[in-house]
Amino acid sequence: MPQNTLSELRRHLARLRVVRDQIRAVEQERLRKLAVAPAAETKSPDAMVRLIARVLGSGIETADMLVNEIFSRHWRDRKAVARYAGLTGSPDESGSRRRERGLARAGNVRVRSGMIQLAWRFIRFQKNSALAQWFAARTADGRASTRKTMIVALARKLLIALWRLVTRGEVPQGVVLRPAS
């Protein structure tokens, strides 16, 4: 290998080490902050993060993103939550003709992509939940296009279910929670 290429590779690896150390420090600080937060408060952001992280299939990173991006705000109803996340349809109405044009994509990109990833994990880890069975029933034909469409619908339903979990304490039907630590 040429000397310049080898030197450049070493510099890239050194930068990678620094970034990994910074990520590790941020994650440890988040865990430390969650550990010292008072457990008695139920509406605090830290309590919400702990509650969402108890859902099997989600983790601290996903829970923290959801709480900071969406659940720490006051929402009027479930439609407002889904609309903010960009997980609602985009109707096309012209005269008497009405049709759906797919996702609106006008919402929060981080929440939308995070919820779609969480929805895929959810159907893997929460097979016995009502939401996962709903998804399985509608995608029984096995077509990829149906699964892609329905995963967005599941992400919307899951977001609303998690919102109800942190605001009202309603655990979705069949969802398994990790023991409280």
Side-chain angles (χ1 to χ4, degrees), residues 61-79:
E61 185 70 33
T62 303
D64 191 50
M65 181 272 300
L66 287 173
V67 168
N68 288 324
E69 295 285 335
I70 196 163
F71 295 145
S72 59
R73 302 168 190 230
H74 176 72
W75 299 103
R76 182 181 64 236
D77 58 5
R78 62 186 174 83
K79 290 180 180 180

Side-chain angles (χ1 to χ4, degrees), residues 141-149:
D141 62 2
R143 293 192 327 234
S145 61
T146 304
R147 287 176 57 86
K148 283 173 61 176
T149 302

Side-chain angles (χ1 to χ4, degrees), residues 33-180:
K33 190 175 104 180
L34 285 174
V36 298
E41 294 181 37
T42 57
K43 298 296 182 188
S44 72
D46 294 330
M48 289 183 200
V49 169
R50 280 194 296 261
L51 183 59
I52 295 172
R54 285 183 56 201
V55 174
L56 197 63
S58 69
I60 296 288
E61 185 70 33
T62 303
D64 191 50
M65 181 272 300
L66 287 173
V67 168
N68 288 324
E69 295 285 335
I70 196 163
F71 295 145
S72 59
R73 302 168 190 230
H74 176 72
W75 299 103
R76 182 181 64 236
D77 58 5
R78 62 186 174 83
K79 290 180 180 180
V81 173
R83 202 173 18 240
Y84 177 79
L87 291 169
T88 56
S90 173
D92 180 22
E93 298 179 3
S94 176
S96 63
R97 187 177 67 176
R98 295 179 182 194
R99 61 183 175 179
E100 283 292 322
R101 291 184 43 192
L103 276 183
R105 294 197 177 129
N108 188 318
V109 176
R110 287 186 56 182
V111 173
R112 183 173 55 247
S113 62
M115 282 309 301
I116 290 172
Q117 290 173 7
L118 179 59
W120 284 115
R121 286 193 315 265
F122 189 82
I123 59 174
R124 181 174 175 204
F125 291 107
Q126 300 276 357
K127 288 182 173 60
N128 296 327
S129 70
L131 289 173
Q133 291 174 354
W134 173 87
F135 178 81
R138 281 167 177 69
T139 58
D141 62 2
R143 293 192 327 234
S145 61
T146 304
R147 287 176 57 86
K148 283 173 61 176
T149 302
M150 295 311 293
I151 201 67
V152 175
L154 176 65
R156 179 176 48 250
K157 286 178 166 284
L158 182 57
L159 178 66
I160 293 166
L162 291 175
W163 174 68
R164 287 182 176 149
L165 175 66
V166 297
T167 56
R168 301 180 193 163
E170 297 175 13
V171 178
Q173 183 181 1
V175 170
V176 177
L177 297 178
R178 292 182 189 101

